[in-house]
Amino acid sequence: MLCAVLLLFSPPGSFAGGRPLLLPVDPARLVAVTQGGERSFSIEIADDAAERSAGLMFRETMADDHGMLFVFQETRDVAFWMKNTPMPLDLVFVGQDGRVRAVLYGEPQSEAVIDPGEPARFVLELKAGTAARQGIKAGDLLRHPAIDAVAGG
């Protein structure tokens, strides 16, 4: 029943009927401060339950410098899965302080639970391999107005 309600009230171009949710690109770029320097990404922001549930499902392609930032209202245990997601992803789990807690791989179409084992406030999804290529790892800082508002940055 809940799925039916979500599908009825989904915005055009959303995940209903196997179509991807396409959110507007945020005007502010997300910056990852890594040991090798700053890395910049354009992002979509999923900040409500329906957007977070749909995420990048059904998305088949995405630019190398693009991602989706999941914003939660509080720091808590979060877990993801890749059902209906044909594209392999890096899931970058981020604490309330804007620091990367873990970078985990998301296997396409998998129902396996992806859980960093500690609470997170944000999750950044990128194309698989992007975090390693850009040097993003645990302890690095992510900056974006949505993160800075919580982290006090």
Side-chain angles (χ1 to χ4, degrees), residues 34-92:
T34 72
Q35 194 171 41
E38 293 187 353
R39 309 294 187 237
S40 176
F41 299 91
S42 66
I43 59 167
E44 299 168 49
I45 297 179
D47 60 2
D48 68 34
E51 292 170 352
R52 288 189 302 262
S53 292
L56 292 173
M57 286 190 337
F58 307 109
R59 192 86 58 104
E60 294 187 19
T61 62
M62 187 168 65
D64 290 344
D65 71 338
H66 189 78
M68 182 175 281
L69 181 67
F70 293 73
V71 178
F72 296 91
Q73 276 55 54
E74 69 274 333
T75 301
R76 61 186 177 95
D77 291 331
V78 297
F80 284 65
W81 69 348
M82 297 286 292
K83 183 177 180 178
N84 298 320
T85 307
M87 195 173 35
L89 299 173
D90 288 336
L91 286 85
V92 181

Side-chain angles (χ1 to χ4, degrees), residues 6 11 13 18 27-28 44 54 68 85 88 94-95 108 114 117 120 124-125 133 142 151:
L6 284 175
E44 299 168 49
M68 182 175 281
T85 307
V94 181
I114 304 165
L124 175 64
E125 289 185 342
R133 278 191 307 278
L142 298 189

Side-chain angles (χ1 to χ4, degrees), residues 75-141:
T75 301
R76 61 186 177 95
D77 291 331
V78 297
F80 284 65
W81 69 348
M82 297 286 292
K83 183 177 180 178
N84 298 320
T85 307
M87 195 173 35
L89 299 173
D90 288 336
L91 286 85
V92 181
F93 293 86
V94 181
Q96 184 166 323
D97 60 358
R99 296 272 174 197
V100 174
R101 299 292 190 251
V103 179
L104 302 174
Y105 175 73
E107 182 179 337
Q109 307 294 352
S110 175
E111 293 184 24
V113 175
I114 304 165
D115 178 357
E118 64 179 291
R121 181 68 182 262
F122 309 94
V123 178
L124 175 64
E125 289 185 342
L126 302 168
K127 284 173 66 173
T130 301
R133 278 191 307 278
Q134 298 298 326
I136 300 170
K137 60 185 183 334
D140 287 345
L141 178 66

Side-chain angles (χ1 to χ4, degrees), residues 96-97 147-153:
Q96 184 166 323
D97 60 358
I147 297 170
D148 295 346
V150 173

